[in-house]
């Protein structure tokens, strides 16, 4: 699988500047963005630290399998973004797709990357 990057860009709201996080993709000739967010509201401060001055970070997939109460195996991925500083130190933060449709697009993108 080729590397996928989570980009960020600034936007303004109520006179303050914020970052939005997304993955650009193209499937069947259609461009799209998968919106990304941290697992909780406090995670935006962590993302600021991980990205530092960079405007993109590598998407890292962590596959998992769990067995539900009926014994059915459920497979999926958890996600995080990763950057490296000038000393080679690793900086990471868990992330997740913003909406169900973003999760679907991300899954399609990953299976075809």
């Amino acid at each position: 699988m080729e590397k996928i990057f989570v980009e960020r860009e600034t936007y303004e709201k109520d006179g303050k500047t914020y970052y939005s996080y997304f993955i650009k993709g193209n499937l069947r000739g259609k461009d799209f963005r998968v919106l990304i967010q941290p697992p909780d509201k406090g995670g935006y401060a962590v993302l600021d630290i991980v990205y530092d001055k960079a405007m993109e970070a590598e998407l890292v997939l962590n596959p998992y399998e769990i067995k539900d109460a009926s014994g059915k195996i459920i497979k999926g991925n958890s996600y995080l973004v990763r950057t490296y500083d000038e000393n080679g130190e690793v900086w990471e933060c868990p992330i997740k797709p913003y909406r169900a449709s973003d999760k679907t697009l991300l899954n399609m993108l990953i299976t075809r990357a």
Side-chain angles (χ1 to χ4, degrees):
M1 182 175 101
E2 68 182 62
K3 287 186 179 183
I4 297 174
F5 291 92
V6 178
E7 299 178 49
R8 71 177 183 169
E9 67 183 5
T10 59
Y11 69 94
E12 294 210 14
K13 182 178 178 182
D14 300 328
K16 292 185 178 182
T17 302
Y18 299 96
Y19 285 105
S20 65
Y21 298 85
F22 57 90
I23 298 167
K24 288 182 186 175
N26 183 297
L27 294 168
R28 293 186 157 183
K30 297 183 189 301
D31 292 328
F32 62 87
R33 283 185 178 203
V34 175
L35 299 180
I36 299 296
Q37 67 180 5
D40 57 49
K41 197 170 188 169
Y44 286 102
V46 180
L47 284 173
D48 284 343
I49 292 168
V50 170
Y51 276 78
D52 192 30
K53 295 177 180 91
M55 295 304 281
E56 69 178 20
E58 181 183 351
L59 175 70
V60 178
L61 283 76
N62 292 314
Y64 66 84
E65 287 186 15
I66 58 173
K67 194 179 289 189
D68 68 9
S70 69
K72 180 181 175 186
I73 295 176
I74 300 169
K75 296 179 182 184
N77 292 303
S78 61
Y79 309 98
L80 59 88
V81 289
R82 178 183 294 157
T83 61
Y84 301 89
D85 67 15
E86 61 278 352
N87 300 319
E89 189 170 350
V90 178
W91 298 87
E92 298 177 335
C93 179
I95 57 167
K96 64 181 185 177
Y98 185 71
R99 300 173 294 237
S101 58
D102 292 311
K103 182 177 180 178
T104 301
L105 282 168
L106 183 55
N107 286 335
M108 283 192 268
L109 185 63
I110 288 168
T111 59
R112 287 159 181 85

